[in-house]
C-alpha cells in the first residue's frame, strides 16, 4: 500500500535509473513539455488520467501509483533550510542576490503585483558557447496585480 505521493516519486526515480529512461521520453508519453512532465514526475504537478497512465506504463507503475499521480500534491520540494545541492543552491543564491532587483524591475514595469507560478511557462535549453556551453532558462509567468478593496 502506497501512503504518500513521495513514495511514487521514489518509484519513478528508481525506475528511471534502472530502465535508463530520459525525461524527453516522458514528454513523448504525456504530450506535455519536458519541464511540466518532469515536475509532475517529481511530485509537484497533477496529471490527468491518460497522462498518469502513460507515465505509469513507461515506468512500470501499479494502478495504485497511477492513481496517486492524479491527486493534487503538496507543492514545494525544497526543505526550509538553505539547500545543499550545488545546482539548487545556485538558484537560491540567484534569488538572494537578484531577488530584490527582479522585484524592483517587475514593479517598475507592471506595478504592485506578482509573477504567477500557476499561469507559468518554463523552457530550459543548452546554448552552445565557445567559452563553455551555457544553461538558458526562460521563465514566463502571468502578471497578477494586487487588487484594492
Amino acid at each position: 500500500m502506497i501512503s504518500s505521493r513521495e513514495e511514487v516519486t521514489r518509484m519513478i526515480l528508481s525506475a528511471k535509473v534502472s530502465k535508463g529512461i530520459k525525461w524527453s521520453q516522458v514528454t513523448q508519453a504525456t504530450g506535455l513539455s519536458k519541464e511540466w512532465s518532469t515536475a509532475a514526475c517529481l511530485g509537484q504537478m497533477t496529471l490527468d488520467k491518460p497522462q498518469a497512465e502513460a507515465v505509469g506504463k513507461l515506468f512500470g507503475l501499479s494502478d495504485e501509483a497511477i492513481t496517486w499521480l492524479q491527486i493534487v500534491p503538496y507543492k514545494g520540494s525544497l526543505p526550509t533550510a538553505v539547500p545543499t545541492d550545488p545546482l539548487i543552491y545556485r538558484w537560491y543564491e540567484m534569488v538572494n542576490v537578484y531577488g530584490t532587483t527582479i522585484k524592483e524591475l517587475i514593479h517598475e514595469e507592471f506595478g504592485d503585483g506578482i509573477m504567477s507560478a500557476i499561469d507559468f511557462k518554463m523552457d530550459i535549453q543548452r546554448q552552445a558557447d565557445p567559452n563553455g556551453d551555457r544553461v538558458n532558462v526562460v521563465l514566463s509567468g502571468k502578471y497578477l496585480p494586487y487588487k484594492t478593496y
Side-chain angles (χ1 to χ4, degrees):
M1 178 173 191
I2 299 170
S3 61
S4 72
R5 179 61 183 83
E6 291 77 19
E7 286 182 50
V8 179
T9 297
R10 286 192 294 274
M11 291 175 192
I12 288 172
L13 291 173
S14 177
K16 181 182 184 300
V17 170
S18 68
K19 295 179 178 204
I21 296 169
K22 300 284 186 189
W23 292 120
S24 59
Q25 292 173 268
V26 180
T27 296
Q28 292 168 358
T30 63
L32 302 167
S33 73
K34 71 179 179 289
E35 295 81 10
W36 179 272
S37 298
T38 303
C41 289
L42 295 177
Q44 296 301 303
M45 301 296 170
T46 309
L47 297 171
D48 65 21
K49 187 173 182 169
Q51 294 161 346
E53 289 172 343
V55 168
K57 182 178 179 185
L58 183 64
F59 288 109
L61 301 176
S62 68
D63 289 342
E64 183 183 11
I66 291 168
T67 300
W68 273 97
L69 292 173
Q70 299 168 68
I71 296 171
V72 177
Y74 184 87
K75 292 180 178 15
S77 59
L78 297 179
T80 55
V82 175
T84 57
D85 179 276
L87 192 141
I88 295 173
Y89 174 77
R90 291 297 176 233
W91 278 93
Y92 179 84
E93 178 183 39
M94 283 184 265
V95 171
N96 271 317
V97 173
Y98 292 104
T100 54
T101 301
I102 293 166
K103 177 179 169 51
E104 281 294 317
L105 294 173
I106 289 172
H107 288 175
E108 182 174 275
E109 181 69 27
F110 293 92
D112 189 14
I114 63 168
M115 182 178 113
S116 175
I118 295 171
D119 190 343
F120 180 82
K121 294 178 184 174
M122 175 174 39
D123 184 45
I124 301 172
Q125 298 291 327
R126 177 183 222 126
Q127 183 178 333
D129 188 288
N131 294 320
D133 287 358
R134 301 182 68 79
V135 179
N136 186 359
V137 179
V138 176
L139 307 174
S140 174
K142 181 179 180 180
Y143 173 72
L144 301 172
Y146 284 102
K147 296 181 180 181
T148 57
Y149 54 94

